[in-house]
Amino acid sequence: MPNLPVNTLTRRERQAADRAEEILEVAARLFAERGFHRTTTKDIAEAAGVAEGTLYNYFDSKDALLFGILGRLSETPQEELGLSGPPQADARQYFTTLLHRRRSYLDKNFVMVQAIMSEILANAGLRERYHEQILDPWLEAIETALSQRIEAGQIRSLDIPAAARFIASIWLGLFIIEALGDPLIHIEWERLVETTTSMILDSVAP
Amino acid sequence: MPNLPVNTLTRRERQAADRAEEILEVAARLFAERGFHRTTTKDIAEAAGVAEGTLYNYFDSKDALLFGILGRLSETPQEELGLSGPPQADARQYFTTLLHRRRSYLDKNFVMVQAIMSEILANAGLRERYHEQILDPWLEAIETALSQRIEAGQIRSLDIPAAARFIASIWLGLFIIEALGDPLIHIEWERLVETTTSMILDSVAP
Amino acid sequence: MPNLPVNTLTRRERQAADRAEEILEVAARLFAERGFHRTTTKDIAEAAGVAEGTLYNYFDSKDALLFGILGRLSETPQEELGLSGPPQADARQYFTTLLHRRRSYLDKNFVMVQAIMSEILANAGLRERYHEQILDPWLEAIETALSQRIEAGQIRSLDIPAAARFIASIWLGLFIIEALGDPLIHIEWERLVETTTSMILDSVAP
Amino acid sequence: MPNLPVNTLTRRERQAADRAEEILEVAARLFAERGFHRTTTKDIAEAAGVAEGTLYNYFDSKDALLFGILGRLSETPQEELGLSGPPQADARQYFTTLLHRRRSYLDKNFVMVQAIMSEILANAGLRERYHEQILDPWLEAIETALSQRIEAGQIRSLDIPAAARFIASIWLGLFIIEALGDPLIHIEWERLVETTTSMILDSVAP
DNA sequence: AATGAATGAGGGTTCATTCAT
DNA sequence: CATGAATGAACCCTCATTCAT
């Protein structure tokens, strides 16, 4: 068994990664439930089934947990977010796909997104990192998609940066309303997607 | 000076109200700047020019300051928010006015809104009160306006609750993006209003 | 009673100074007994009869207590230390007086000196401040006194900086031996002074 | 290779002793640099190139490292310290030799001496052991040397215990001043020895 | 014998709240 | 009503020690 040590090491490394993963998920859940500041490191350790000190074998500080969660969110590849789609798709399909992909992204990451969002307006460092890693790439991708579609004649000419922010704001706003506990949104996302797309593409004029 | 006591009392009451007001504004500013938990009662007292103990003559607790700020926000009459407008206005003007009014509302209350929003996802009690006092009335007003306009034939028939949430989410999302420090939004609100209204009313089809 | 507020304020200030004083003395005693690191802020608070948080109304940190103790030690005027004596006194009397004054200084400040000395070799910042505020002025004063006496012909010419360090080292060394618990020193300081002075002034030659 | 196991064992034992030695030296260096409490077992393990747990295969506890260092210091034979010299040497040579030997002892062991001294006033157990193993033998040896020289008529009669403490205090005091960072002492030890010996033997009278 | 992840008691410090003045 | 010193529970984090591998 010449590769036993390698395997052992790998297993250890994998265990360590798993443990870090689990801590991060537990922390995200608690941050989402009661906010970053109302969650103590003791809470996290207990919920993760480890000792408090163990947290610090994986993360430098409580803040590092927050940044770790943000890092996890930014790992999602752009395609999965509907940010880079096939440009040949027509505009309606693009919007529909975009909102669906973001919905399934949210379904997978709701807790982590809420953990971050619950602290983001109160934490300048987090805000900055969110900008760099999440928001700016997202806006850029939307702007690219829009300009491609305008060039392709799929949609009419419009103020691209403003439109990108408009689109991003829809998703952010819907997330906020859902996180605030509005019962309709989670259940009826389909209706929202349909209505939203329809309002943008078909106008609300009678 | 037989009425001096009365006057004094009255002045005192006014002074008291003013002081509570000032404390609330100072607190909102600090909460918005650095978040609720990073702001200490000592910070607030110093910034307001009073002793720490004095805060407790006006508010029961630090939490009460937060609820006080929320209360102030909910005092704004609906008309000012563009929630109840003259139904005779056409749809385009309705949307434009709505967004403008909400903008000037935000200009007046940005700090208080940010103070509340920065904590709202982390504080269940606050969330509940926000629902009752702010969000639900707002959604209801939009729904009413929409159904009135649909009935009047100004806009086509659509899923009213979903559309209301869509509209609210735009405003919430734009606020978040602005609060996150996006430079475009604050400066170019006009463009955003125009683009948004245009996208909803004119469709993005070429 | 037009000066009541003034008196009240003064009394408060005096109380505050007294309290700070007492905390410092208690801390010095505990530091001397069991060392800086083995003394907890809880220990200090309990021994001082206050809550732990109260310590921080008077001192910024546990370290600040140590520096506060050092500051107290450096307040002692030079005359009291026998550093600046009447130069007309003859050399024997100078040495005797010097050692006696340092002894009575030590009797008054033993605990504080031990508190500082027990940490000084382990704490670079403290060491630096001790140099500036205690050791260097002391060495300078001895050097001045020696050169004055050499000029006056009271003692023969010698290597002044070396001699000053020699004299300082006697006191420091005797303090260390006493602090180490040697029973002789504290009880028989007179004999030590006499022997030391005699060895320096009369030579040990038969 | 029938004796391989024996050799291996022997080599292992030697390796073990070497490793304990190295750990001790590394620990002494770190204790001297930043004090006992500011040095973590992790620091020591890293600096020694072993795992933290390995320390505990060689020493029972962190405290045991300190006592181990003390033990190393007390291994130095008395002659090397100038404690037991040939009594026929005259007094001046005795003092000069004593100070020179202690200097070269210090040159070899400065780090270990500082490691011990930095903690000694804060650690009752260490203090006691230092007394037993270092200070008392030293004082006794000086007292013996003095009484031998008095009997031999090399020096005049004097208070022997006091004189022994005086002599010990010189060395301790000079060490402290050096450890405090005084620049003169280390460089100019020769001058100090000369001045000190001269002051004791020739008197400072003009 | 060597490892280093896990442990958890204990540390220094903060801060919302109280209350005597 | 205003004050601000006092409070002490609770926080985040450290680190000597253990033990399964």
Side-chain angles (χ1 to χ4, degrees), chain C residues 38 119 131 156 159 165 180 182 191 198-201 203-204, chain D residues 38 119 131 156 159 165 180 182 191 198-201 203-204:
Chain C
R38 282 180 180 79
E119 179 66 5
H131 245 297
R156 65 176 167 83
D159 183 333
R165 275 149 185 84
L180 288 177
D182 184 89
R191 275 165 63 191
S198 155
M199 285 178 84
I200 294 173
L201 285 163
S203 117
V204 296
Chain D
R38 283 180 180 79
E119 180 66 5
H131 245 298
R156 65 176 167 82
D159 182 335
R165 276 147 187 84
L180 288 178
D182 185 88
R191 274 165 63 192
S198 156
M199 285 178 84
I200 293 174
L201 285 164
S203 118
V204 294

PDB file of all heavy atoms in Angstrom, chain C residues 38 119 131 156 159 165 180 182 191 198-201 203-204, chain D residues 38 119 131 156 159 165 180 182 191 198-201 203-204:
ATOM      1  N   ARG C  38      -0.664  36.042  35.620  1.00  0.00           N
ATOM      2  CA  ARG C  38      -1.460  35.172  36.470  1.00  0.00           C
ATOM      3  C   ARG C  38      -2.547  35.938  37.217  1.00  0.00           C
ATOM      4  O   ARG C  38      -3.346  35.349  37.928  1.00  0.00           O
ATOM      5  CB  ARG C  38      -0.554  34.447  37.466  1.00  0.00           C
ATOM      6  CG  ARG C  38       0.203  33.282  36.855  1.00  0.00           C
ATOM      7  CD  ARG C  38       1.090  32.590  37.863  1.00  0.00           C
ATOM      8  NE  ARG C  38       1.786  31.479  37.239  1.00  0.00           N
ATOM      9  CZ  ARG C  38       2.873  31.613  36.477  1.00  0.00           C
ATOM     10  NH1 ARG C  38       3.379  32.808  36.276  1.00  0.00           N
ATOM     11  NH2 ARG C  38       3.432  30.545  35.928  1.00  0.00           N
ATOM     12  N   GLU C 119       7.522  42.014  35.456  1.00  0.00           N
ATOM     13  CA  GLU C 119       7.085  41.927  34.068  1.00  0.00           C
ATOM     14  C   GLU C 119       8.072  42.567  33.107  1.00  0.00           C
ATOM     15  O   GLU C 119       8.007  42.383  31.891  1.00  0.00           O
ATOM     16  CB  GLU C 119       5.711  42.602  33.943  1.00  0.00           C
ATOM     17  CG  GLU C 119       5.090  42.642  32.573  1.00  0.00           C
ATOM     18  CD  GLU C 119       4.716  41.266  32.011  1.00  0.00           C
ATOM     19  OE1 GLU C 119       4.853  40.259  32.729  1.00  0.00           O
ATOM     20  OE2 GLU C 119       4.308  41.202  30.829  1.00  0.00           O
ATOM     21  N   HIS C 131      13.024  52.575  31.036  1.00  0.00           N
ATOM     22  CA  HIS C 131      14.272  53.250  30.690  1.00  0.00           C
ATOM     23  C   HIS C 131      14.104  54.756  30.724  1.00  0.00           C
ATOM     24  O   HIS C 131      14.817  55.470  31.428  1.00  0.00           O
ATOM     25  CB  HIS C 131      14.694  52.830  29.272  1.00  0.00           C
ATOM     26  CG  HIS C 131      15.962  52.057  29.245  1.00  0.00           C
ATOM     27  ND1 HIS C 131      17.153  52.587  29.651  1.00  0.00           N
ATOM     28  CD2 HIS C 131      16.225  50.785  28.883  1.00  0.00           C
ATOM     29  CE1 HIS C 131      18.096  51.670  29.535  1.00  0.00           C
ATOM     30  NE2 HIS C 131      17.558  50.565  29.074  1.00  0.00           N
ATOM     31  N   ARG C 156      38.188  60.065  44.344  1.00  0.00           N
ATOM     32  CA  ARG C 156      39.198  60.061  43.311  1.00  0.00           C
ATOM     33  C   ARG C 156      38.558  59.934  41.923  1.00  0.00           C
ATOM     34  O   ARG C 156      37.394  59.571  41.793  1.00  0.00           O
ATOM     35  CB  ARG C 156      40.169  58.898  43.548  1.00  0.00           C
ATOM     36  CG  ARG C 156      39.521  57.518  43.421  1.00  0.00           C
ATOM     37  CD  ARG C 156      40.573  56.415  43.576  1.00  0.00           C
ATOM     38  NE  ARG C 156      39.945  55.118  43.752  1.00  0.00           N
ATOM     39  CZ  ARG C 156      39.502  54.352  42.740  1.00  0.00           C
ATOM     40  NH1 ARG C 156      39.586  54.770  41.496  1.00  0.00           N
ATOM     41  NH2 ARG C 156      38.960  53.182  42.998  1.00  0.00           N
ATOM     42  N   ASP C 159      35.964  55.956  36.318  1.00  0.00           N
ATOM     43  CA  ASP C 159      35.138  55.845  35.117  1.00  0.00           C
ATOM     44  C   ASP C 159      33.679  56.112  35.502  1.00  0.00           C
ATOM     45  O   ASP C 159      32.982  55.239  36.014  1.00  0.00           O
ATOM     46  CB  ASP C 159      35.312  54.425  34.553  1.00  0.00           C
ATOM     47  CG  ASP C 159      34.549  54.231  33.250  1.00  0.00           C
ATOM     48  OD1 ASP C 159      33.528  54.920  33.034  1.00  0.00           O
ATOM     49  OD2 ASP C 159      34.966  53.378  32.460  1.00  0.00           O
ATOM     50  N   ARG C 165      26.704  52.791  36.820  1.00  0.00           N
ATOM     51  CA  ARG C 165      26.016  51.509  36.621  1.00  0.00           C
ATOM     52  C   ARG C 165      26.311  50.544  37.759  1.00  0.00           C
ATOM     53  O   ARG C 165      25.464  49.754  38.176  1.00  0.00           O
ATOM     54  CB  ARG C 165      26.423  50.924  35.265  1.00  0.00           C
ATOM     55  CG  ARG C 165      25.568  51.487  34.147  1.00  0.00           C
ATOM     56  CD  ARG C 165      26.247  51.594  32.827  1.00  0.00           C
ATOM     57  NE  ARG C 165      25.382  52.256  31.846  1.00  0.00           N
ATOM     58  CZ  ARG C 165      25.289  53.586  31.741  1.00  0.00           C
ATOM     59  NH1 ARG C 165      25.979  54.377  32.524  1.00  0.00           N
ATOM     60  NH2 ARG C 165      24.474  54.107  30.829  1.00  0.00           N
ATOM     61  N   LEU C 180      13.388  37.878  45.737  1.00  0.00           N
ATOM     62  CA  LEU C 180      13.456  36.422  45.620  1.00  0.00           C
ATOM     63  C   LEU C 180      13.167  35.735  46.946  1.00  0.00           C
ATOM     64  O   LEU C 180      13.015  34.519  46.994  1.00  0.00           O
ATOM     65  CB  LEU C 180      14.844  36.001  45.110  1.00  0.00           C
ATOM     66  CG  LEU C 180      15.121  36.309  43.649  1.00  0.00           C
ATOM     67  CD1 LEU C 180      16.548  35.916  43.283  1.00  0.00           C
ATOM     68  CD2 LEU C 180      14.135  35.562  42.748  1.00  0.00           C
ATOM     69  N   ASP C 182      14.989  36.241  49.895  1.00  0.00           N
ATOM     70  CA  ASP C 182      16.111  36.091  50.821  1.00  0.00           C
ATOM     71  C   ASP C 182      15.755  36.782  52.133  1.00  0.00           C
ATOM     72  O   ASP C 182      15.382  37.952  52.153  1.00  0.00           O
ATOM     73  CB  ASP C 182      17.370  36.724  50.218  1.00  0.00           C
ATOM     74  CG  ASP C 182      18.570  36.491  51.098  1.00  0.00           C
ATOM     75  OD1 ASP C 182      19.236  35.450  50.918  1.00  0.00           O
ATOM     76  OD2 ASP C 182      18.838  37.342  51.967  1.00  0.00           O
ATOM     77  N   ARG C 191      22.770  46.550  58.000  1.00  0.00           N
ATOM     78  CA  ARG C 191      24.071  45.898  57.851  1.00  0.00           C
ATOM     79  C   ARG C 191      24.548  45.970  56.408  1.00  0.00           C
ATOM     80  O   ARG C 191      25.727  46.179  56.128  1.00  0.00           O
ATOM     81  CB  ARG C 191      23.965  44.427  58.260  1.00  0.00           C
ATOM     82  CG  ARG C 191      24.124  44.184  59.752  1.00  0.00           C
ATOM     83  CD  ARG C 191      23.642  42.807  60.113  1.00  0.00           C
ATOM     84  NE  ARG C 191      24.434  41.741  59.450  1.00  0.00           N
ATOM     85  CZ  ARG C 191      24.064  40.456  59.445  1.00  0.00           C
ATOM     86  NH1 ARG C 191      22.944  40.072  60.047  1.00  0.00           N
ATOM     87  NH2 ARG C 191      24.826  39.563  58.848  1.00  0.00           N
ATOM     88  N   SER C 198      30.979  50.689  53.331  1.00  0.00           N
ATOM     89  CA  SER C 198      32.323  50.459  53.841  1.00  0.00           C
ATOM     90  C   SER C 198      33.207  49.792  52.794  1.00  0.00           C
ATOM     91  O   SER C 198      34.381  50.134  52.631  1.00  0.00           O
ATOM     92  CB  SER C 198      32.226  49.606  55.106  1.00  0.00           C
ATOM     93  OG  SER C 198      33.411  48.909  55.312  1.00  0.00           O
ATOM     94  N   MET C 199      32.626  48.849  52.061  1.00  0.00           N
ATOM     95  CA  MET C 199      33.437  48.175  51.054  1.00  0.00           C
ATOM     96  C   MET C 199      33.850  49.130  49.954  1.00  0.00           C
ATOM     97  O   MET C 199      34.944  49.048  49.390  1.00  0.00           O
ATOM     98  CB  MET C 199      32.670  46.991  50.457  1.00  0.00           C
ATOM     99  CG  MET C 199      32.611  45.809  51.423  1.00  0.00           C
ATOM    100  SD  MET C 199      31.661  44.419  50.767  1.00  0.00           S
ATOM    101  CE  MET C 199      32.889  43.584  49.775  1.00  0.00           C
ATOM    102  N   ILE C 200      32.957  50.051  49.634  1.00  0.00           N
ATOM    103  CA  ILE C 200      33.273  50.982  48.557  1.00  0.00           C
ATOM    104  C   ILE C 200      34.258  52.049  49.021  1.00  0.00           C
ATOM    105  O   ILE C 200      35.165  52.444  48.293  1.00  0.00           O
ATOM    106  CB  ILE C 200      31.967  51.650  48.036  1.00  0.00           C
ATOM    107  CG1 ILE C 200      31.080  50.604  47.373  1.00  0.00           C
ATOM    108  CG2 ILE C 200      32.290  52.762  47.063  1.00  0.00           C
ATOM    109  CD1 ILE C 200      29.725  51.118  46.988  1.00  0.00           C
ATOM    110  N   LEU C 201      34.060  52.484  50.267  1.00  0.00           N
ATOM    111  CA  LEU C 201      34.850  53.639  50.697  1.00  0.00           C
ATOM    112  C   LEU C 201      36.142  53.263  51.397  1.00  0.00           C
ATOM    113  O   LEU C 201      37.115  54.016  51.361  1.00  0.00           O
ATOM    114  CB  LEU C 201      34.002  54.524  51.612  1.00  0.00           C
ATOM    115  CG  LEU C 201      32.970  55.331  50.823  1.00  0.00           C
ATOM    116  CD1 LEU C 201      31.900  55.861  51.738  1.00  0.00           C
ATOM    117  CD2 LEU C 201      33.693  56.467  50.088  1.00  0.00           C
ATOM    118  N   SER C 203      37.716  50.226  51.149  1.00  0.00           N
ATOM    119  CA  SER C 203      38.379  49.092  50.500  1.00  0.00           C
ATOM    120  C   SER C 203      38.294  47.884  51.408  1.00  0.00           C
ATOM    121  O   SER C 203      38.079  47.996  52.606  1.00  0.00           O
ATOM    122  CB  SER C 203      39.847  49.394  50.127  1.00  0.00           C
ATOM    123  OG  SER C 203      40.733  48.562  50.825  1.00  0.00           O
ATOM    124  N   VAL C 204      38.425  46.754  50.801  1.00  0.00           N
ATOM    125  CA  VAL C 204      38.360  45.550  51.625  1.00  0.00           C
ATOM    126  C   VAL C 204      39.751  45.071  52.010  1.00  0.00           C
ATOM    127  O   VAL C 204      39.903  44.030  52.644  1.00  0.00           O
ATOM    128  CB  VAL C 204      37.615  44.415  50.894  1.00  0.00           C
ATOM    129  CG1 VAL C 204      36.179  44.805  50.665  1.00  0.00           C
ATOM    130  CG2 VAL C 204      38.315  44.070  49.604  1.00  0.00           C
TER     131      VAL C 204
ATOM    132  N   ARG D  38       3.896  35.191  26.880  1.00  0.00           N
ATOM    133  CA  ARG D  38       3.636  35.608  25.504  1.00  0.00           C
ATOM    134  C   ARG D  38       4.144  34.574  24.498  1.00  0.00           C
ATOM    135  O   ARG D  38       3.952  34.731  23.296  1.00  0.00           O
ATOM    136  CB  ARG D  38       4.297  36.969  25.244  1.00  0.00           C
ATOM    137  CG  ARG D  38       3.523  38.131  25.844  1.00  0.00           C
ATOM    138  CD  ARG D  38       4.198  39.455  25.574  1.00  0.00           C
ATOM    139  NE  ARG D  38       3.432  40.544  26.148  1.00  0.00           N
ATOM    140  CZ  ARG D  38       3.441  40.876  27.435  1.00  0.00           C
ATOM    141  NH1 ARG D  38       4.202  40.218  28.276  1.00  0.00           N
ATOM    142  NH2 ARG D  38       2.689  41.870  27.886  1.00  0.00           N
ATOM    143  N   GLU D 119      10.763  35.529  34.362  1.00  0.00           N
ATOM    144  CA  GLU D 119       9.565  34.941  34.959  1.00  0.00           C
ATOM    145  C   GLU D 119       9.699  34.766  36.464  1.00  0.00           C
ATOM    146  O   GLU D 119       8.724  34.523  37.166  1.00  0.00           O
ATOM    147  CB  GLU D 119       9.293  33.573  34.301  1.00  0.00           C
ATOM    148  CG  GLU D 119       8.079  32.819  34.790  1.00  0.00           C
ATOM    149  CD  GLU D 119       6.750  33.476  34.476  1.00  0.00           C
ATOM    150  OE1 GLU D 119       6.747  34.508  33.776  1.00  0.00           O
ATOM    151  OE2 GLU D 119       5.713  32.988  34.961  1.00  0.00           O
ATOM    152  N   HIS D 131      16.193  29.549  44.177  1.00  0.00           N
ATOM    153  CA  HIS D 131      16.862  29.665  45.470  1.00  0.00           C
ATOM    154  C   HIS D 131      17.701  28.432  45.760  1.00  0.00           C
ATOM    155  O   HIS D 131      18.912  28.520  45.990  1.00  0.00           O
ATOM    156  CB  HIS D 131      15.814  29.820  46.579  1.00  0.00           C
ATOM    157  CG  HIS D 131      15.891  31.138  47.256  1.00  0.00           C
ATOM    158  ND1 HIS D 131      16.984  31.550  47.947  1.00  0.00           N
ATOM    159  CD2 HIS D 131      15.001  32.159  47.312  1.00  0.00           C
ATOM    160  CE1 HIS D 131      16.770  32.762  48.427  1.00  0.00           C
ATOM    161  NE2 HIS D 131      15.570  33.159  48.047  1.00  0.00           N
ATOM    162  N   ARG D 156      40.178  42.341  55.076  1.00  0.00           N
ATOM    163  CA  ARG D 156      39.864  42.648  56.472  1.00  0.00           C
ATOM    164  C   ARG D 156      38.577  41.959  56.897  1.00  0.00           C
ATOM    165  O   ARG D 156      37.778  41.535  56.051  1.00  0.00           O
ATOM    166  CB  ARG D 156      39.757  44.149  56.662  1.00  0.00           C
ATOM    167  CG  ARG D 156      38.597  44.772  55.886  1.00  0.00           C
ATOM    168  CD  ARG D 156      38.493  46.269  56.196  1.00  0.00           C
ATOM    169  NE  ARG D 156      37.612  46.970  55.272  1.00  0.00           N
ATOM    170  CZ  ARG D 156      36.278  46.992  55.396  1.00  0.00           C
ATOM    171  NH1 ARG D 156      35.686  46.348  56.376  1.00  0.00           N
ATOM    172  NH2 ARG D 156      35.553  47.639  54.509  1.00  0.00           N
ATOM    173  N   ASP D 159      31.280  41.861  57.603  1.00  0.00           N
ATOM    174  CA  ASP D 159      30.027  41.123  57.787  1.00  0.00           C
ATOM    175  C   ASP D 159      29.859  40.174  56.602  1.00  0.00           C
ATOM    176  O   ASP D 159      29.444  40.584  55.519  1.00  0.00           O
ATOM    177  CB  ASP D 159      28.891  42.135  57.856  1.00  0.00           C
ATOM    178  CG  ASP D 159      27.546  41.479  58.094  1.00  0.00           C
ATOM    179  OD1 ASP D 159      27.380  40.289  57.745  1.00  0.00           O
ATOM    180  OD2 ASP D 159      26.652  42.157  58.623  1.00  0.00           O
ATOM    181  N   ARG D 165      25.957  38.980  49.901  1.00  0.00           N
ATOM    182  CA  ARG D 165      24.799  39.513  49.183  1.00  0.00           C
ATOM    183  C   ARG D 165      25.165  40.736  48.365  1.00  0.00           C
ATOM    184  O   ARG D 165      24.651  40.963  47.263  1.00  0.00           O
ATOM    185  CB  ARG D 165      23.672  39.817  50.171  1.00  0.00           C
ATOM    186  CG  ARG D 165      22.851  38.562  50.459  1.00  0.00           C
ATOM    187  CD  ARG D 165      22.293  38.485  51.855  1.00  0.00           C
ATOM    188  NE  ARG D 165      21.650  37.170  52.084  1.00  0.00           N
ATOM    189  CZ  ARG D 165      22.321  36.087  52.447  1.00  0.00           C
ATOM    190  NH1 ARG D 165      23.635  36.126  52.626  1.00  0.00           N
ATOM    191  NH2 ARG D 165      21.684  34.938  52.632  1.00  0.00           N
ATOM    192  N   LEU D 180      17.893  45.066  30.457  1.00  0.00           N
ATOM    193  CA  LEU D 180      16.996  46.179  30.165  1.00  0.00           C
ATOM    194  C   LEU D 180      17.403  46.900  28.891  1.00  0.00           C
ATOM    195  O   LEU D 180      16.685  47.768  28.406  1.00  0.00           O
ATOM    196  CB  LEU D 180      16.974  47.168  31.331  1.00  0.00           C
ATOM    197  CG  LEU D 180      16.236  46.676  32.576  1.00  0.00           C
ATOM    198  CD1 LEU D 180      16.331  47.718  33.694  1.00  0.00           C
ATOM    199  CD2 LEU D 180      14.763  46.423  32.238  1.00  0.00           C
ATOM    200  N   ASP D 182      20.496  48.453  28.358  1.00  0.00           N
ATOM    201  CA  ASP D 182      21.515  49.496  28.482  1.00  0.00           C
ATOM    202  C   ASP D 182      22.686  49.152  27.566  1.00  0.00           C
ATOM    203  O   ASP D 182      23.237  48.045  27.627  1.00  0.00           O
ATOM    204  CB  ASP D 182      22.002  49.590  29.922  1.00  0.00           C
ATOM    205  CG  ASP D 182      22.969  50.739  30.115  1.00  0.00           C
ATOM    206  OD1 ASP D 182      22.515  51.852  30.391  1.00  0.00           O
ATOM    207  OD2 ASP D 182      24.186  50.497  29.957  1.00  0.00           O
ATOM    208  N   ARG D 191      35.466  47.504  31.405  1.00  0.00           N
ATOM    209  CA  ARG D 191      35.522  48.717  32.216  1.00  0.00           C
ATOM    210  C   ARG D 191      34.761  48.536  33.519  1.00  0.00           C
ATOM    211  O   ARG D 191      35.185  49.004  34.586  1.00  0.00           O
ATOM    212  CB  ARG D 191      34.914  49.883  31.451  1.00  0.00           C
ATOM    213  CG  ARG D 191      35.880  50.598  30.526  1.00  0.00           C
ATOM    214  CD  ARG D 191      35.129  51.484  29.553  1.00  0.00           C
ATOM    215  NE  ARG D 191      34.389  52.547  30.239  1.00  0.00           N
ATOM    216  CZ  ARG D 191      33.469  53.318  29.634  1.00  0.00           C
ATOM    217  NH1 ARG D 191      33.191  53.126  28.355  1.00  0.00           N
ATOM    218  NH2 ARG D 191      32.859  54.253  30.294  1.00  0.00           N
ATOM    219  N   SER D 198      38.055  47.850  41.413  1.00  0.00           N
ATOM    220  CA  SER D 198      38.840  48.953  41.957  1.00  0.00           C
ATOM    221  C   SER D 198      38.097  49.663  43.075  1.00  0.00           C
ATOM    222  O   SER D 198      38.661  50.044  44.094  1.00  0.00           O
ATOM    223  CB  SER D 198      39.186  49.905  40.814  1.00  0.00           C
ATOM    224  OG  SER D 198      39.437  51.186  41.298  1.00  0.00           O
ATOM    225  N   MET D 199      36.785  49.842  42.878  1.00  0.00           N
ATOM    226  CA  MET D 199      36.028  50.539  43.918  1.00  0.00           C
ATOM    227  C   MET D 199      35.985  49.728  45.200  1.00  0.00           C
ATOM    228  O   MET D 199      35.980  50.280  46.303  1.00  0.00           O
ATOM    229  CB  MET D 199      34.601  50.829  43.420  1.00  0.00           C
ATOM    230  CG  MET D 199      34.580  51.981  42.406  1.00  0.00           C
ATOM    231  SD  MET D 199      32.924  52.302  41.748  1.00  0.00           S
ATOM    232  CE  MET D 199      32.224  53.356  43.013  1.00  0.00           C
ATOM    233  N   ILE D 200      35.906  48.415  45.041  1.00  0.00           N
ATOM    234  CA  ILE D 200      35.826  47.586  46.236  1.00  0.00           C
ATOM    235  C   ILE D 200      37.187  47.469  46.917  1.00  0.00           C
ATOM    236  O   ILE D 200      37.288  47.506  48.144  1.00  0.00           O
ATOM    237  CB  ILE D 200      35.313  46.176  45.860  1.00  0.00           C
ATOM    238  CG1 ILE D 200      33.867  46.276  45.393  1.00  0.00           C
ATOM    239  CG2 ILE D 200      35.423  45.247  47.047  1.00  0.00           C
ATOM    240  CD1 ILE D 200      33.331  44.974  44.865  1.00  0.00           C
ATOM    241  N   LEU D 201      38.216  47.388  46.111  1.00  0.00           N
ATOM    242  CA  LEU D 201      39.535  47.092  46.707  1.00  0.00           C
ATOM    243  C   LEU D 201      40.334  48.326  47.028  1.00  0.00           C
ATOM    244  O   LEU D 201      41.160  48.318  47.952  1.00  0.00           O
ATOM    245  CB  LEU D 201      40.322  46.190  45.756  1.00  0.00           C
ATOM    246  CG  LEU D 201      39.816  44.753  45.774  1.00  0.00           C
ATOM    247  CD1 LEU D 201      40.323  43.980  44.588  1.00  0.00           C
ATOM    248  CD2 LEU D 201      40.250  44.083  47.089  1.00  0.00           C
ATOM    249  N   SER D 203      39.007  51.500  47.435  1.00  0.00           N
ATOM    250  CA  SER D 203      38.179  52.569  47.999  1.00  0.00           C
ATOM    251  C   SER D 203      38.089  53.691  46.993  1.00  0.00           C
ATOM    252  O   SER D 203      38.895  53.814  46.074  1.00  0.00           O
ATOM    253  CB  SER D 203      38.714  53.082  49.332  1.00  0.00           C
ATOM    254  OG  SER D 203      39.075  54.428  49.281  1.00  0.00           O
ATOM    255  N   VAL D 204      37.067  54.474  47.188  1.00  0.00           N
ATOM    256  CA  VAL D 204      36.913  55.595  46.270  1.00  0.00           C
ATOM    257  C   VAL D 204      37.482  56.868  46.864  1.00  0.00           C
ATOM    258  O   VAL D 204      37.383  57.930  46.257  1.00  0.00           O
ATOM    259  CB  VAL D 204      35.425  55.820  45.904  1.00  0.00           C
ATOM    260  CG1 VAL D 204      34.920  54.637  45.116  1.00  0.00           C
ATOM    261  CG2 VAL D 204      34.598  56.071  47.132  1.00  0.00           C
TER     262      VAL D 204
END
